[in-house]
Amino acid sequence: GGDVNKYFPEGACVKFDVRDEKEVNRIIDFIENDDYESHLDDLAEARDLILDNYNMWAVIEDSILSLGE
């Protein structure tokens, strides 16, 4: 599988194995008991990465600008 932490901060997402049915309970527990506020900085950084770097328009802009180099 891909390494999401290559692109996003560690606290911005929760990794789980979609092939393992036992993971459902872990995800439910995470949702019910997570301290959301402790992840806000990582979530904000991930949001900024998506808006500024990883969205389609940012990629197109970077491609166009690199043509002039």
Side-chain angles (χ1 to χ4, degrees):
D3 185 10
V4 72
N5 294 119
K6 179 177 175 183
Y7 303 99
F8 297 107
E10 182 78 31
C13 55
V14 177
K15 294 181 185 180
F16 62 94
D17 184 353
V18 297
R19 297 169 297 233
D20 185 351
E21 292 178 17
K22 297 175 201 158
E23 290 284 84
V24 172
N25 291 329
R26 189 173 72 85
I27 294 167
I28 290 171
D29 182 62
F30 178 82
I31 291 169
E32 291 176 346
N33 300 306
D34 182 47
D35 178 20
Y36 175 78
E37 289 81 16
S38 69
H39 303 281
L40 285 178
D41 289 341
D42 287 336
L43 291 168
E45 183 180 346
R47 178 202 59 218
D48 291 342
L49 286 167
I50 290 169
L51 292 174
D52 299 334
N53 296 50
Y54 301 150
N55 77 70
M56 178 178 71
W57 300 112
V59 173
I60 291 170
E61 178 187 29
D62 288 344
S63 297
I64 290 170
L65 293 174
S66 71
L67 293 174
E69 295 177 356

